[in-house]
Amino acid sequence: MNSPLAPAGRFEGSYLGDRSRLPAGARLECKICWWVYDPALGDPVWQIDAGTPFAELPAHWRCPNCDGAADQFMVLEDSAP
């Protein structure tokens, strides 16, 4: 059985931490608190404009609800290519 853990024991989400694999319109969900990043809405807490794909979020961006790291987000099924 494959584990969702990276060798260092860190969860990398369903996009495996590789933002280049994400389609521009992909919606992602925080695995900690289930908050959804929707590029159509952006993120007013971090002042991310609507239309900003997850792959283009700044490196320091974190979940605005629970402060989880971006690599803790999982692609929602309705966003999968």
Side-chain angles (χ1 to χ4, degrees), residues 28-79:
L28 287 90
E29 181 178 70
C30 177
K31 77 167 189 95
I32 299 167
C33 72
W34 304 289
W35 183 84
V36 174
Y37 179 79
D38 185 340
L41 303 175
D43 176 5
V45 173
W46 281 87
Q47 300 177 343
I48 304 296
D49 293 333
T52 303
F54 191 88
E56 295 178 14
L57 292 174
H60 64 275
W61 183 87
R62 299 178 70 82
C63 178
N65 192 54
C66 73
D67 200 39
D71 64 0
Q72 300 294 300
F73 278 66
M74 301 176 291
V75 179
L76 291 174
E77 288 296 321
D78 62 2
S79 299

mmCIF file of all heavy atoms in Angstrom, residues 28-79:
data_model
loop_
_atom_site.group_PDB
_atom_site.id
_atom_site.type_symbol
_atom_site.label_atom_id
_atom_site.label_comp_id
_atom_site.label_asym_id
_atom_site.label_seq_id
_atom_site.Cartn_x
_atom_site.Cartn_y
_atom_site.Cartn_z
ATOM 1 N N LEU A 28 -8.310 23.567 -4.476
ATOM 2 C CA LEU A 28 -7.615 22.701 -3.534
ATOM 3 C C LEU A 28 -8.165 22.898 -2.132
ATOM 4 O O LEU A 28 -8.581 23.998 -1.768
ATOM 5 C CB LEU A 28 -6.108 22.980 -3.548
ATOM 6 C CG LEU A 28 -5.405 22.453 -4.800
ATOM 7 C CD1 LEU A 28 -5.378 23.488 -5.884
ATOM 8 C CD2 LEU A 28 -4.012 21.991 -4.470
ATOM 9 N N GLU A 29 -8.143 21.812 -1.360
ATOM 10 C CA GLU A 29 -8.707 21.810 -0.013
ATOM 11 C C GLU A 29 -7.621 21.530 1.009
ATOM 12 O O GLU A 29 -6.813 20.611 0.835
ATOM 13 C CB GLU A 29 -9.780 20.735 0.060
ATOM 14 C CG GLU A 29 -10.468 20.621 1.388
ATOM 15 C CD GLU A 29 -11.550 19.563 1.348
ATOM 16 O OE1 GLU A 29 -11.206 18.365 1.268
ATOM 17 O OE2 GLU A 29 -12.728 19.948 1.374
ATOM 18 N N CYS A 30 -7.615 22.314 2.073
ATOM 19 C CA CYS A 30 -6.672 22.105 3.165
ATOM 20 C C CYS A 30 -7.006 20.790 3.855
ATOM 21 O O CYS A 30 -8.155 20.554 4.233
ATOM 22 C CB CYS A 30 -6.762 23.267 4.156
ATOM 23 S SG CYS A 30 -5.690 23.080 5.597
ATOM 24 N N LYS A 31 -6.010 19.928 4.021
ATOM 25 C CA LYS A 31 -6.271 18.631 4.664
ATOM 26 C C LYS A 31 -6.419 18.761 6.171
ATOM 27 O O LYS A 31 -6.812 17.827 6.843
ATOM 28 C CB LYS A 31 -5.175 17.633 4.327
ATOM 29 C CG LYS A 31 -3.899 17.836 5.098
ATOM 30 C CD LYS A 31 -3.002 16.636 4.934
ATOM 31 C CE LYS A 31 -1.825 16.718 5.852
ATOM 32 N NZ LYS A 31 -1.997 16.020 7.104
ATOM 33 N N ILE A 32 -6.104 19.928 6.709
ATOM 34 C CA ILE A 32 -6.204 20.138 8.153
ATOM 35 C C ILE A 32 -7.592 20.645 8.546
ATOM 36 O O ILE A 32 -8.225 20.110 9.443
ATOM 37 C CB ILE A 32 -5.105 21.110 8.632
ATOM 38 C CG1 ILE A 32 -3.728 20.514 8.333
ATOM 39 C CG2 ILE A 32 -5.266 21.436 10.112
ATOM 40 C CD1 ILE A 32 -2.584 21.489 8.474
ATOM 41 N N CYS A 33 -8.074 21.681 7.846
ATOM 42 C CA CYS A 33 -9.342 22.301 8.249
ATOM 43 C C CYS A 33 -10.418 22.272 7.158
ATOM 44 O O CYS A 33 -11.513 22.755 7.377
ATOM 45 C CB CYS A 33 -9.094 23.748 8.682
ATOM 46 S SG CYS A 33 -8.708 24.863 7.311
ATOM 47 N N TRP A 34 -10.096 21.762 5.996
ATOM 48 C CA TRP A 34 -11.017 21.624 4.867
ATOM 49 C C TRP A 34 -11.384 22.941 4.193
ATOM 50 O O TRP A 34 -12.335 23.011 3.432
ATOM 51 C CB TRP A 34 -12.281 20.843 5.250
ATOM 52 C CG TRP A 34 -11.957 19.504 5.800
ATOM 53 C CD1 TRP A 34 -11.476 18.431 5.118
ATOM 54 C CD2 TRP A 34 -12.060 19.096 7.143
ATOM 55 N NE1 TRP A 34 -11.268 17.382 5.966
ATOM 56 C CE2 TRP A 34 -11.621 17.768 7.225
ATOM 57 C CE3 TRP A 34 -12.470 19.728 8.313
ATOM 58 C CZ2 TRP A 34 -11.597 17.055 8.408
ATOM 59 C CZ3 TRP A 34 -12.433 19.020 9.492
ATOM 60 C CH2 TRP A 34 -12.013 17.700 9.521
ATOM 61 N N TRP A 35 -10.652 24.011 4.460
ATOM 62 C CA TRP A 35 -10.894 25.274 3.761
ATOM 63 C C TRP A 35 -10.505 25.067 2.295
ATOM 64 O O TRP A 35 -9.514 24.404 1.989
ATOM 65 C CB TRP A 35 -10.062 26.392 4.389
ATOM 66 C CG TRP A 35 -10.302 27.738 3.771
ATOM 67 C CD1 TRP A 35 -11.306 28.599 4.078
ATOM 68 C CD2 TRP A 35 -9.540 28.378 2.748
ATOM 69 N NE1 TRP A 35 -11.209 29.733 3.299
ATOM 70 C CE2 TRP A 35 -10.127 29.615 2.467
ATOM 71 C CE3 TRP A 35 -8.404 27.997 2.024
ATOM 72 C CZ2 TRP A 35 -9.638 30.487 1.516
ATOM 73 C CZ3 TRP A 35 -7.912 28.863 1.072
ATOM 74 C CH2 TRP A 35 -8.525 30.098 0.828
ATOM 75 N N VAL A 36 -11.285 25.613 1.389
ATOM 76 C CA VAL A 36 -11.041 25.427 -0.050
ATOM 77 C C VAL A 36 -10.483 26.705 -0.668
ATOM 78 O O VAL A 36 -11.066 27.780 -0.516
ATOM 79 C CB VAL A 36 -12.343 25.009 -0.772
ATOM 80 C CG1 VAL A 36 -12.128 24.949 -2.280
ATOM 81 C CG2 VAL A 36 -12.830 23.665 -0.249
ATOM 82 N N TYR A 37 -9.346 26.550 -1.361
ATOM 83 C CA TYR A 37 -8.826 27.657 -2.166
ATOM 84 C C TYR A 37 -9.436 27.520 -3.549
ATOM 85 O O TYR A 37 -9.238 26.522 -4.244
ATOM 86 C CB TYR A 37 -7.298 27.649 -2.290
ATOM 87 C CG TYR A 37 -6.842 28.799 -3.163
ATOM 88 C CD1 TYR A 37 -6.770 30.080 -2.640
ATOM 89 C CD2 TYR A 37 -6.572 28.623 -4.508
ATOM 90 C CE1 TYR A 37 -6.425 31.161 -3.448
ATOM 91 C CE2 TYR A 37 -6.222 29.691 -5.322
ATOM 92 C CZ TYR A 37 -6.158 30.948 -4.785
ATOM 93 O OH TYR A 37 -5.820 32.026 -5.580
ATOM 94 N N ASP A 38 -10.199 28.531 -3.945
ATOM 95 C CA ASP A 38 -10.824 28.575 -5.271
ATOM 96 C C ASP A 38 -10.199 29.746 -6.017
ATOM 97 O O ASP A 38 -10.351 30.901 -5.605
ATOM 98 C CB ASP A 38 -12.330 28.777 -5.130
ATOM 99 C CG ASP A 38 -13.074 28.708 -6.443
ATOM 100 O OD1 ASP A 38 -12.442 28.880 -7.511
ATOM 101 O OD2 ASP A 38 -14.289 28.482 -6.406
ATOM 102 N N PRO A 39 -9.475 29.481 -7.117
ATOM 103 C CA PRO A 39 -8.815 30.573 -7.828
ATOM 104 C C PRO A 39 -9.798 31.618 -8.364
ATOM 105 O O PRO A 39 -9.424 32.778 -8.527
ATOM 106 C CB PRO A 39 -8.059 29.885 -8.955
ATOM 107 C CG PRO A 39 -8.639 28.532 -9.072
ATOM 108 C CD PRO A 39 -9.222 28.196 -7.735
ATOM 109 N N ALA A 40 -11.039 31.234 -8.575
ATOM 110 C CA ALA A 40 -12.041 32.196 -9.045
ATOM 111 C C ALA A 40 -12.332 33.250 -7.978
ATOM 112 O O ALA A 40 -12.736 34.372 -8.302
ATOM 113 C CB ALA A 40 -13.325 31.473 -9.439
ATOM 114 N N LEU A 41 -12.100 32.903 -6.705
ATOM 115 C CA LEU A 41 -12.367 33.816 -5.593
ATOM 116 C C LEU A 41 -11.109 34.462 -5.027
ATOM 117 O O LEU A 41 -11.183 35.535 -4.423
ATOM 118 C CB LEU A 41 -13.084 33.066 -4.468
ATOM 119 C CG LEU A 41 -14.387 32.374 -4.847
ATOM 120 C CD1 LEU A 41 -14.922 31.567 -3.677
ATOM 121 C CD2 LEU A 41 -15.398 33.383 -5.337
ATOM 122 N N GLY A 42 -9.958 33.809 -5.194
ATOM 123 C CA GLY A 42 -8.726 34.305 -4.590
ATOM 124 C C GLY A 42 -8.768 34.127 -3.082
ATOM 125 O O GLY A 42 -9.476 33.263 -2.568
ATOM 126 N N ASP A 43 -8.023 34.954 -2.374
ATOM 127 C CA ASP A 43 -7.965 34.865 -0.917
ATOM 128 C C ASP A 43 -7.848 36.273 -0.344
ATOM 129 O O ASP A 43 -6.774 36.866 -0.347
ATOM 130 C CB ASP A 43 -6.763 34.015 -0.499
ATOM 131 C CG ASP A 43 -6.570 33.950 1.009
ATOM 132 O OD1 ASP A 43 -7.409 34.478 1.760
ATOM 133 O OD2 ASP A 43 -5.556 33.379 1.428
ATOM 134 N N PRO A 44 -8.962 36.833 0.139
ATOM 135 C CA PRO A 44 -8.918 38.198 0.663
ATOM 136 C C PRO A 44 -8.043 38.352 1.911
ATOM 137 O O PRO A 44 -7.495 39.419 2.146
ATOM 138 C CB PRO A 44 -10.376 38.525 0.969
ATOM 139 C CG PRO A 44 -11.084 37.220 1.022
ATOM 140 C CD PRO A 44 -10.301 36.260 0.181
ATOM 141 N N VAL A 45 -7.877 37.294 2.705
ATOM 142 C CA VAL A 45 -7.051 37.379 3.911
ATOM 143 C C VAL A 45 -5.599 37.675 3.533
ATOM 144 O O VAL A 45 -4.949 38.517 4.133
ATOM 145 C CB VAL A 45 -7.154 36.084 4.747
ATOM 146 C CG1 VAL A 45 -6.169 36.091 5.900
ATOM 147 C CG2 VAL A 45 -8.574 35.892 5.254
ATOM 148 N N TRP A 46 -5.091 36.979 2.518
ATOM 149 C CA TRP A 46 -3.713 37.167 2.057
ATOM 150 C C TRP A 46 -3.620 38.167 0.901
ATOM 151 O O TRP A 46 -2.574 38.314 0.287
ATOM 152 C CB TRP A 46 -3.117 35.833 1.622
ATOM 153 C CG TRP A 46 -2.667 34.989 2.764
ATOM 154 C CD1 TRP A 46 -3.432 34.098 3.484
ATOM 155 C CD2 TRP A 46 -1.371 34.943 3.336
ATOM 156 N NE1 TRP A 46 -2.677 33.505 4.457
ATOM 157 C CE2 TRP A 46 -1.397 34.004 4.385
ATOM 158 C CE3 TRP A 46 -0.173 35.595 3.061
ATOM 159 C CZ2 TRP A 46 -0.280 33.712 5.159
ATOM 160 C CZ3 TRP A 46 0.933 35.292 3.834
ATOM 161 C CH2 TRP A 46 0.870 34.371 4.864
ATOM 162 N N GLN A 47 -4.728 38.823 0.590
ATOM 163 C CA GLN A 47 -4.804 39.802 -0.500
ATOM 164 C C GLN A 47 -4.381 39.195 -1.838
ATOM 165 O O GLN A 47 -3.628 39.790 -2.606
ATOM 166 C CB GLN A 47 -3.974 41.048 -0.177
ATOM 167 C CG GLN A 47 -4.461 41.737 1.075
ATOM 168 C CD GLN A 47 -3.613 42.937 1.465
ATOM 169 O OE1 GLN A 47 -2.500 43.120 1.018
ATOM 170 N NE2 GLN A 47 -4.175 43.767 2.326
ATOM 171 N N ILE A 48 -4.897 37.989 -2.107
ATOM 172 C CA ILE A 48 -4.664 37.301 -3.375
ATOM 173 C C ILE A 48 -5.853 37.596 -4.270
ATOM 174 O O ILE A 48 -6.997 37.308 -3.915
ATOM 175 C CB ILE A 48 -4.524 35.774 -3.160
ATOM 176 C CG1 ILE A 48 -3.417 35.453 -2.156
ATOM 177 C CG2 ILE A 48 -4.319 35.061 -4.487
ATOM 178 C CD1 ILE A 48 -2.019 35.846 -2.571
ATOM 179 N N ASP A 49 -5.588 38.186 -5.419
ATOM 180 C CA ASP A 49 -6.654 38.566 -6.345
ATOM 181 C C ASP A 49 -7.400 37.363 -6.892
ATOM 182 O O ASP A 49 -6.806 36.292 -7.108
ATOM 183 C CB ASP A 49 -6.076 39.352 -7.529
ATOM 184 C CG ASP A 49 -5.528 40.706 -7.129
ATOM 185 O OD1 ASP A 49 -6.006 41.274 -6.121
ATOM 186 O OD2 ASP A 49 -4.626 41.199 -7.827
ATOM 187 N N ALA A 50 -8.692 37.552 -7.148
ATOM 188 C CA ALA A 50 -9.490 36.542 -7.843
ATOM 189 C C ALA A 50 -8.823 36.271 -9.183
ATOM 190 O O ALA A 50 -8.277 37.176 -9.816
ATOM 191 C CB ALA A 50 -10.912 37.041 -8.033
ATOM 192 N N GLY A 51 -8.838 35.018 -9.602
ATOM 193 C CA GLY A 51 -8.215 34.632 -10.857
ATOM 194 C C GLY A 51 -6.782 34.142 -10.697
ATOM 195 O O GLY A 51 -6.147 33.755 -11.675
ATOM 196 N N THR A 52 -6.264 34.121 -9.464
ATOM 197 C CA THR A 52 -4.892 33.669 -9.221
ATOM 198 C C THR A 52 -4.880 32.153 -9.008
ATOM 199 O O THR A 52 -5.440 31.661 -8.031
ATOM 200 C CB THR A 52 -4.284 34.358 -7.975
ATOM 201 O OG1 THR A 52 -4.327 35.765 -8.160
ATOM 202 C CG2 THR A 52 -2.845 33.909 -7.747
ATOM 203 N N PRO A 53 -4.248 31.407 -9.918
ATOM 204 C CA PRO A 53 -4.167 29.949 -9.743
ATOM 205 C C PRO A 53 -3.348 29.588 -8.501
ATOM 206 O O PRO A 53 -2.452 30.334 -8.096
ATOM 207 C CB PRO A 53 -3.439 29.468 -11.007
ATOM 208 C CG PRO A 53 -3.513 30.587 -11.975
ATOM 209 C CD PRO A 53 -3.629 31.841 -11.169
ATOM 210 N N PHE A 54 -3.646 28.445 -7.927
ATOM 211 C CA PHE A 54 -2.911 27.966 -6.756
ATOM 212 C C PHE A 54 -1.413 27.912 -7.041
ATOM 213 O O PHE A 54 -0.587 28.244 -6.190
ATOM 214 C CB PHE A 54 -3.424 26.577 -6.357
ATOM 215 C CG PHE A 54 -2.928 26.106 -5.015
ATOM 216 C CD1 PHE A 54 -3.620 26.428 -3.864
ATOM 217 C CD2 PHE A 54 -1.782 25.338 -4.908
ATOM 218 C CE1 PHE A 54 -3.181 25.996 -2.616
ATOM 219 C CE2 PHE A 54 -1.331 24.903 -3.669
ATOM 220 C CZ PHE A 54 -2.031 25.227 -2.523
ATOM 221 N N ALA A 55 -1.049 27.508 -8.247
ATOM 222 C CA ALA A 55 0.364 27.392 -8.627
ATOM 223 C C ALA A 55 1.100 28.728 -8.580
ATOM 224 O O ALA A 55 2.321 28.759 -8.509
ATOM 225 C CB ALA A 55 0.487 26.784 -10.019
ATOM 226 N N GLU A 56 0.360 29.832 -8.611
ATOM 227 C CA GLU A 56 0.979 31.160 -8.602
ATOM 228 C C GLU A 56 0.906 31.865 -7.249
ATOM 229 O O GLU A 56 1.288 33.029 -7.133
ATOM 230 C CB GLU A 56 0.343 32.036 -9.687
ATOM 231 C CG GLU A 56 0.626 31.526 -11.086
ATOM 232 C CD GLU A 56 -0.031 32.358 -12.166
ATOM 233 O OE1 GLU A 56 -0.491 33.491 -11.875
ATOM 234 O OE2 GLU A 56 -0.103 31.868 -13.302
ATOM 235 N N LEU A 57 0.456 31.152 -6.229
ATOM 236 C CA LEU A 57 0.435 31.747 -4.888
ATOM 237 C C LEU A 57 1.875 31.973 -4.431
ATOM 238 O O LEU A 57 2.777 31.203 -4.787
ATOM 239 C CB LEU A 57 -0.281 30.819 -3.901
ATOM 240 C CG LEU A 57 -1.778 30.646 -4.125
ATOM 241 C CD1 LEU A 57 -2.328 29.587 -3.176
ATOM 242 C CD2 LEU A 57 -2.507 31.963 -3.951
ATOM 243 N N PRO A 58 2.122 33.023 -3.646
ATOM 244 C CA PRO A 58 3.489 33.262 -3.166
ATOM 245 C C PRO A 58 3.978 32.109 -2.290
ATOM 246 O O PRO A 58 3.187 31.413 -1.648
ATOM 247 C CB PRO A 58 3.370 34.556 -2.365
ATOM 248 C CG PRO A 58 1.926 34.825 -2.184
ATOM 249 C CD PRO A 58 1.162 34.015 -3.171
ATOM 250 N N ALA A 59 5.276 31.916 -2.259
ATOM 251 C CA ALA A 59 5.881 30.810 -1.501
ATOM 252 C C ALA A 59 5.527 30.863 -0.020
ATOM 253 O O ALA A 59 5.438 29.824 0.640
ATOM 254 C CB ALA A 59 7.393 30.820 -1.692
ATOM 255 N N HIS A 60 5.284 32.046 0.521
ATOM 256 C CA HIS A 60 4.980 32.189 1.950
ATOM 257 C C HIS A 60 3.488 32.022 2.264
ATOM 258 O O HIS A 60 3.099 32.061 3.421
ATOM 259 C CB HIS A 60 5.462 33.553 2.458
ATOM 260 C CG HIS A 60 4.760 34.703 1.815
ATOM 261 N ND1 HIS A 60 5.174 35.236 0.610
ATOM 262 C CD2 HIS A 60 3.664 35.407 2.170
ATOM 263 C CE1 HIS A 60 4.365 36.232 0.280
ATOM 264 N NE2 HIS A 60 3.438 36.343 1.214
ATOM 265 N N TRP A 61 2.652 31.821 1.240
ATOM 266 C CA TRP A 61 1.208 31.697 1.447
ATOM 267 C C TRP A 61 0.896 30.471 2.299
ATOM 268 O O TRP A 61 1.493 29.412 2.156
ATOM 269 C CB TRP A 61 0.484 31.595 0.103
ATOM 270 C CG TRP A 61 -1.001 31.545 0.241
ATOM 271 C CD1 TRP A 61 -1.856 32.594 0.306
ATOM 272 C CD2 TRP A 61 -1.822 30.369 0.333
ATOM 273 N NE1 TRP A 61 -3.161 32.153 0.442
ATOM 274 C CE2 TRP A 61 -3.160 30.787 0.462
ATOM 275 C CE3 TRP A 61 -1.552 29.009 0.334
ATOM 276 C CZ2 TRP A 61 -4.223 29.894 0.579
ATOM 277 C CZ3 TRP A 61 -2.617 28.115 0.459
ATOM 278 C CH2 TRP A 61 -3.935 28.576 0.577
ATOM 279 N N ARG A 62 -0.075 30.640 3.204
ATOM 280 C CA ARG A 62 -0.541 29.552 4.065
ATOM 281 C C ARG A 62 -2.063 29.604 4.137
ATOM 282 O O ARG A 62 -2.668 30.612 3.796
ATOM 283 C CB ARG A 62 0.063 29.680 5.457
ATOM 284 C CG ARG A 62 1.604 29.596 5.426
ATOM 285 C CD ARG A 62 2.226 29.759 6.786
ATOM 286 N NE ARG A 62 1.982 28.615 7.664
ATOM 287 C CZ ARG A 62 2.691 27.487 7.652
ATOM 288 N NH1 ARG A 62 3.670 27.331 6.793
ATOM 289 N NH2 ARG A 62 2.412 26.516 8.500
ATOM 290 N N CYS A 63 -2.678 28.548 4.601
ATOM 291 C CA CYS A 63 -4.125 28.505 4.733
ATOM 292 C C CYS A 63 -4.585 29.674 5.609
ATOM 293 O O CYS A 63 -4.102 29.839 6.733
ATOM 294 C CB CYS A 63 -4.552 27.181 5.353
ATOM 295 S SG CYS A 63 -6.347 27.061 5.626
ATOM 296 N N PRO A 64 -5.524 30.476 5.109
ATOM 297 C CA PRO A 64 -5.988 31.610 5.900
ATOM 298 C C PRO A 64 -6.861 31.210 7.087
ATOM 299 O O PRO A 64 -7.110 32.020 7.975
ATOM 300 C CB PRO A 64 -6.790 32.435 4.893
ATOM 301 C CG PRO A 64 -7.270 31.436 3.893
ATOM 302 C CD PRO A 64 -6.169 30.412 3.800
ATOM 303 N N ASN A 65 -7.289 29.965 7.124
ATOM 304 C CA ASN A 65 -8.157 29.514 8.207
ATOM 305 C C ASN A 65 -7.378 28.874 9.355
ATOM 306 O O ASN A 65 -7.665 29.139 10.522
ATOM 307 C CB ASN A 65 -9.194 28.531 7.660
ATOM 308 C CG ASN A 65 -10.286 28.234 8.644
ATOM 309 O OD1 ASN A 65 -10.935 29.137 9.148
ATOM 310 N ND2 ASN A 65 -10.487 26.962 8.935
ATOM 311 N N CYS A 66 -6.368 28.042 9.029
ATOM 312 C CA CYS A 66 -5.664 27.307 10.096
ATOM 313 C C CYS A 66 -4.146 27.481 10.055
ATOM 314 O O CYS A 66 -3.455 26.902 10.876
ATOM 315 C CB CYS A 66 -6.009 25.826 10.021
ATOM 316 S SG CYS A 66 -5.237 24.970 8.631
ATOM 317 N N ASP A 67 -3.635 28.223 9.100
ATOM 318 C CA ASP A 67 -2.207 28.487 8.941
ATOM 319 C C ASP A 67 -1.434 27.259 8.453
ATOM 320 O O ASP A 67 -0.221 27.179 8.591
ATOM 321 C CB ASP A 67 -1.591 29.025 10.241
ATOM 322 C CG ASP A 67 -0.277 29.757 10.002
ATOM 323 O OD1 ASP A 67 -0.165 30.480 8.987
ATOM 324 O OD2 ASP A 67 0.654 29.585 10.802
ATOM 325 N N GLY A 68 -2.127 26.296 7.843
ATOM 326 C CA GLY A 68 -1.456 25.128 7.266
ATOM 327 C C GLY A 68 -0.649 25.521 6.032
ATOM 328 O O GLY A 68 -0.999 26.448 5.313
ATOM 329 N N ALA A 69 0.435 24.805 5.798
ATOM 330 C CA ALA A 69 1.295 25.073 4.647
ATOM 331 C C ALA A 69 0.585 24.719 3.337
ATOM 332 O O ALA A 69 -0.285 23.843 3.298
ATOM 333 C CB ALA A 69 2.585 24.271 4.769
ATOM 334 N N ALA A 70 0.975 25.384 2.270
ATOM 335 C CA ALA A 70 0.359 25.161 0.959
ATOM 336 C C ALA A 70 0.502 23.712 0.495
ATOM 337 O O ALA A 70 -0.387 23.187 -0.174
ATOM 338 C CB ALA A 70 0.960 26.111 -0.078
ATOM 339 N N ASP A 71 1.606 23.055 0.858
ATOM 340 C CA ASP A 71 1.777 21.671 0.411
ATOM 341 C C ASP A 71 0.893 20.694 1.187
ATOM 342 O O ASP A 71 0.924 19.493 0.950
ATOM 343 C CB ASP A 71 3.240 21.242 0.425
ATOM 344 C CG ASP A 71 3.864 21.213 1.807
ATOM 345 O OD1 ASP A 71 3.175 21.526 2.801
ATOM 346 O OD2 ASP A 71 5.053 20.900 1.890
ATOM 347 N N GLN A 72 0.078 21.212 2.104
ATOM 348 C CA GLN A 72 -0.885 20.390 2.831
ATOM 349 C C GLN A 72 -2.261 20.403 2.165
ATOM 350 O O GLN A 72 -3.214 19.890 2.722
ATOM 351 C CB GLN A 72 -1.013 20.885 4.278
ATOM 352 C CG GLN A 72 0.280 20.844 5.053
ATOM 353 C CD GLN A 72 0.756 19.413 5.249
ATOM 354 O OE1 GLN A 72 0.062 18.602 5.846
ATOM 355 N NE2 GLN A 72 1.929 19.095 4.747
ATOM 356 N N PHE A 73 -2.342 20.987 0.986
ATOM 357 C CA PHE A 73 -3.603 21.068 0.253
ATOM 358 C C PHE A 73 -3.722 19.922 -0.736
ATOM 359 O O PHE A 73 -2.723 19.468 -1.303
ATOM 360 C CB PHE A 73 -3.709 22.408 -0.479
ATOM 361 C CG PHE A 73 -4.190 23.530 0.395
ATOM 362 C CD1 PHE A 73 -3.415 23.984 1.442
ATOM 363 C CD2 PHE A 73 -5.419 24.124 0.182
ATOM 364 C CE1 PHE A 73 -3.853 25.016 2.259
ATOM 365 C CE2 PHE A 73 -5.878 25.149 0.987
ATOM 366 C CZ PHE A 73 -5.081 25.602 2.038
ATOM 367 N N MET A 74 -4.961 19.473 -0.937
ATOM 368 C CA MET A 74 -5.249 18.369 -1.846
ATOM 369 C C MET A 74 -6.170 18.868 -2.957
ATOM 370 O O MET A 74 -7.082 19.655 -2.700
ATOM 371 C CB MET A 74 -5.930 17.237 -1.097
ATOM 372 C CG MET A 74 -5.094 16.695 0.040
ATOM 373 S SD MET A 74 -5.953 15.422 0.997
ATOM 374 C CE MET A 74 -7.225 16.414 1.784
ATOM 375 N N VAL A 75 -5.932 18.375 -4.168
ATOM 376 C CA VAL A 75 -6.764 18.748 -5.303
ATOM 377 C C VAL A 75 -8.153 18.137 -5.119
ATOM 378 O O VAL A 75 -8.278 16.954 -4.813
ATOM 379 C CB VAL A 75 -6.152 18.245 -6.618
ATOM 380 C CG1 VAL A 75 -7.029 18.602 -7.804
ATOM 381 C CG2 VAL A 75 -4.753 18.823 -6.807
ATOM 382 N N LEU A 76 -9.185 18.951 -5.284
ATOM 383 C CA LEU A 76 -10.555 18.432 -5.201
ATOM 384 C C LEU A 76 -10.862 17.641 -6.466
ATOM 385 O O LEU A 76 -10.415 18.004 -7.554
ATOM 386 C CB LEU A 76 -11.554 19.569 -5.023
ATOM 387 C CG LEU A 76 -11.493 20.283 -3.666
ATOM 388 C CD1 LEU A 76 -12.434 21.475 -3.660
ATOM 389 C CD2 LEU A 76 -11.860 19.324 -2.555
ATOM 390 N N GLU A 77 -11.624 16.589 -6.327
ATOM 391 C CA GLU A 77 -11.948 15.701 -7.458
ATOM 392 C C GLU A 77 -12.543 16.453 -8.641
ATOM 393 O O GLU A 77 -12.240 16.155 -9.772
ATOM 394 C CB GLU A 77 -12.915 14.611 -7.016
ATOM 395 C CG GLU A 77 -12.273 13.574 -6.144
ATOM 396 C CD GLU A 77 -11.177 12.772 -6.856
ATOM 397 O OE1 GLU A 77 -11.359 12.449 -8.036
ATOM 398 O OE2 GLU A 77 -10.145 12.515 -6.223
ATOM 399 N N ASP A 78 -13.375 17.464 -8.370
ATOM 400 C CA ASP A 78 -13.996 18.194 -9.487
ATOM 401 C C ASP A 78 -13.003 19.099 -10.220
ATOM 402 O O ASP A 78 -13.326 19.716 -11.209
ATOM 403 C CB ASP A 78 -15.206 19.004 -9.017
ATOM 404 C CG ASP A 78 -14.862 20.087 -8.000
ATOM 405 O OD1 ASP A 78 -13.679 20.274 -7.664
ATOM 406 O OD2 ASP A 78 -15.797 20.745 -7.525
ATOM 407 N N SER A 79 -11.745 19.139 -9.736
ATOM 408 C CA SER A 79 -10.697 19.941 -10.367
ATOM 409 C C SER A 79 -9.667 19.097 -11.086
ATOM 410 O O SER A 79 -8.800 19.622 -11.754
ATOM 411 C CB SER A 79 -9.954 20.778 -9.323
ATOM 412 O OG SER A 79 -10.810 21.665 -8.686
#
